Amino acid sequence: MPASDNVQGRFWPAKIFLWPRTRAFKRKLLALTAFWNDLMTELDSSRIPFWRRHEFALLVSIFAVLVLTTVLDKNHNYITEWQQSSIDLSRQTALLSLYALGAAVVIIAGGIDLSTGSVVAFSGTICATLMMLMAPEAIEKSTPVGPVVITTAITVTLLIGILIGSLHAWLITEVGLPPFVATLGTLVGLRSLSRAIMEAATQAVQGGAKTQISIGDKSFRELSGAISGTSWNLVILVLVVGAMLWVLLSKTVTGRHLYALGGNEQAARLSGIQTDRLKWLAYCLSAFLSSLAGILYVGQLSVADPQTSGRGYELNAIAAAVVGGCSLQGGIGTIPGTLLGSLFLRVVIDGVAKIINAAGNAIAPNTDGVLGAFSVADIAPTGEVSFNYANKLASLYPLTATTYALVLTKYSSAALATSVKDAVSYYAFNCPSIADG
C-alpha cells in the first residue's frame, strides 16, 4: 500500500481521528451528525402504519365533512345532484392541486412562495395576450384561433413561468433576500405588470385599453373541460404531475437532497449538496405549475382578468400543503398528503358554500382562515386551539396563527381590522428572526 494511504501503520480512514480539533471541524461534524439524524427520522417515519399516518386522518376528515355537508345542506345537492357536484368538486380540486403541489415542493425545501396567485394571473394574461397578438380577428369575433397559436401561446407562457421561478431563485441565492421578501415582491409586481401589459396590448390591437381579454376558442377552453362539462382531463393531468413529483421526491437522490435542504440547509451544504441548484429547481417547479394552472383557469372562465384572477390563491396553496402534512419549517411533507389536503380544502369550501347558499369563490377567503386554524391545530405542540393561544402559537407559526385569529373575528369588520393590526404588530416585534429571514 502506498505511503500516502497509510498513517502510522493504519489505513486511511483513521486519518479522520488525527485531524486537528478546530472549531470549524467540530462545527462540520455537528452539522453532519444533525443531517444524519434527520435522515434517519425521515426513514423511520416511512414505516408508520397507514392507519396512523396523516393521510389516513385526512381521508377520515374528508368523509366526515362530506357527510356533515349532506346532512346540513337543505337542498341535499350531494344526493340530488351528485354527478354535477362531483364534477365541480373534482375540477376545482384539480386546479388547486396543481399550484399546491408546487408550493409543497418549495415548503419541503425550506422556502415559501407567496407569488402563486400573481403568477396565475400573470400567466393567464400572457397566454391570452399572445393569442390576441397572433390572431386578433379571431379573438375579437370569438372564433377558433388554430392549434399553432394555442400551442405557441401555451409554450411561451410556461417558459415565462420557469423564468419567474429562476428570478425567485436568483433573488434568494445570489442577492440574499429571504424567500418571504423575494416572493412578496413578485406577488405585488406581477399583478401590476400583467395589467399594464394587457392595457398596452389591447390599446395597440383593438384601439382601446381594456382590462379583460375574452377567449372563445372551444378547443382551448376544452383543455379544462369547460365545453364538455367534464373534469377527467384535469384529474388525469394532476395525477400524472403528482406521480412524477412523488417519484422525484421519494425515489431519486434529488428528492432526498430536497428533504435534506429543508431539514438543515447548513448540514446539506457541508455534505456536498448543491443547495442553490435545488432552490432553483423548487421555485421553478412552483412557478411552472402555477403558470399551467393560470392557463387552465383562462380556459375554464374564457376570460383573462388580471385584476381578479388568482386573488388569494397563494393562501390556498400554502393551506393545502400544510394541511396535507408539510411543515413550514421545511424537510417534512408528501405528495399524496398535499393532494388530499387540496381535496379537503375544496370539500370544506364547497360544503360551507352549500350550507349558507353562497358561491364557492365568495366564501373561499373565509374558509382559508378555517384551514389555517386546522393547520395550527395540527402542528401546535400542545394541540390546543383557541383565541387565547393565538399569540403563543404566532411565535412558532405566525402566518397560520394570524389566519386563525382573523377567522374568529371575520363577521365584524372593526374586530377584523383590530385583529390584523395586532397580528402584524406581534409578528413584527416577537418574530424578528423569521421576519429577517
Side-chain angles (χ1 to χ4, degrees):
M1 176 176 295
S4 60
D5 293 337
N6 205 1
V7 179
Q8 296 181 357
R10 289 175 288 182
F11 293 112
W12 67 268
K15 292 180 181 180
I16 189 172
F17 300 103
L18 301 178
W19 286 356
R21 299 302 193 267
T22 61
R23 290 184 178 178
F25 169 77
K26 292 181 179 179
R27 186 167 60 250
K28 291 182 179 180
L29 186 60
L30 290 175
L32 291 174
T33 303
F35 168 69
W36 178 259
N37 292 336
D38 292 342
L39 180 59
M40 290 299 100
T41 301
E42 177 66 22
L43 292 176
D44 291 339
S45 64
S46 63
R47 303 188 184 99
I48 298 176
F50 177 73
W51 61 273
R52 295 182 59 186
R53 293 178 66 89
H54 188 77
E55 289 81 357
F56 179 77
L58 276 175
L59 287 173
V60 175
S61 301
I62 291 170
F63 178 77
V65 173
L66 289 174
V67 172
L68 186 62
T69 302
T70 304
V71 173
L72 297 180
D73 181 15
K74 296 180 180 179
N75 298 324
H76 303 291
N77 290 316
Y78 282 159
I79 298 177
T80 59
E81 300 179 2
W82 64 270
Q83 186 173 5
Q84 186 60 41
S85 297
S86 61
I87 291 175
D88 293 340
L89 184 60
S90 59
R91 180 188 294 118
Q92 295 299 327
T93 301
L95 291 171
L96 169 60
S97 298
L98 276 179
Y99 52 87
L101 287 173
V105 174
V106 172
I107 292 174
I108 289 173
I112 194 73
D113 191 353
L114 301 179
S115 66
T116 300
S118 294
V119 173
V120 169
F122 184 75
S123 301
T125 300
I126 293 297
C127 185
T129 301
L130 289 174
M131 286 193 287
M132 182 189 68
L133 294 176
M134 290 185 288
E137 295 182 0
I139 293 297
E140 186 176 357
K141 297 178 181 179
S142 298
T143 56
V145 298
V148 176
V149 174
I150 295 176
T151 304
T152 304
I154 292 177
T155 302
V156 173
T157 302
L158 294 178
L159 290 176
I160 292 177
I162 295 177
L163 291 178
I164 294 174
S166 301
L167 174 63
H168 290 159
W170 178 76
L171 291 174
I172 294 169
T173 60
E174 298 297 332
V175 179
L177 293 178
F180 186 94
V181 177
T183 56
L184 182 63
T186 52
L187 166 68
V188 178
L190 286 179
R191 189 173 296 277
S192 301
L193 180 60
S194 60
R195 178 174 179 177
I197 291 175
M198 177 170 290
E199 291 180 352
T202 53
Q203 178 68 39
V205 176
Q206 300 180 355
K210 298 180 180 179
T211 58
Q212 294 182 350
I213 297 179
S214 299
I215 307 295
D217 190 293
K218 293 184 178 180
S219 59
F220 176 76
R221 297 196 60 200
E222 185 57 27
L223 293 176
S224 61
I227 301 300
S228 61
T230 59
S231 60
W232 60 267
N233 49 350
L234 291 177
V235 174
I236 292 176
L237 174 63
V238 169
L239 291 178
V240 171
V241 172
M244 294 174 63
L245 291 178
W246 178 79
V247 171
L248 173 66
L249 293 177
S250 303
K251 304 298 180 181
T252 66
V253 176
T254 302
R256 287 294 182 185
H257 288 177
L258 284 170
Y259 279 104
L261 172 63
N264 193 321
E265 182 177 353
Q266 182 182 7
R269 184 183 298 108
L270 292 175
S271 61
I273 297 176
Q274 299 292 333
T275 56
D276 289 351
R277 294 182 180 179
L278 291 176
K279 290 179 181 180
W280 176 85
L281 175 63
Y283 283 98
C284 283
L285 282 175
S286 178
F288 178 85
L289 293 176
S290 298
S291 297
L292 181 59
I295 295 171
L296 294 174
Y297 271 115
V298 172
Q300 179 190 8
L301 302 175
S302 73
V303 62
D305 185 1
Q307 292 181 310
T308 59
S309 178
R311 289 284 185 183
Y313 284 9
E314 56 278 345
L315 296 180
N316 289 354
I318 296 173
V322 173
V323 171
C326 293
S327 171
L328 291 178
Q329 292 180 331
I332 298 176
T334 62
I335 296 302
T338 302
L339 293 175
L340 290 175
S342 301
L343 177 58
F344 180 68
L345 177 62
R346 286 309 313 183
V347 166
V348 171
I349 293 175
D350 191 61
V352 173
K354 282 181 168 54
I355 292 173
I356 67 174
N357 295 321
N361 291 333
I363 199 64
N366 289 333
T367 313
D368 290 339
V370 178
L371 270 298
F374 291 160
S375 303
V376 173
D378 182 57
I379 59 183
T382 61
E384 298 178 83
V385 180
S386 71
F387 184 79
N388 295 331
Y389 291 92
N391 286 341
K392 183 183 297 184
L393 295 174
S395 62
L396 294 176
Y397 297 95
L399 295 179
T400 51
T402 299
T403 307
Y404 175 60
L406 294 181
V407 72
L408 295 178
T409 55
K410 64 182 179 181
Y411 294 109
S412 172
S413 58
L416 181 62
T418 303
S419 178
V420 171
K421 181 179 179 181
D422 293 343
V424 171
S425 300
Y426 188 89
Y427 176 73
F429 289 104
N430 293 276
C431 307
S433 60
I434 300 177
D436 295 338

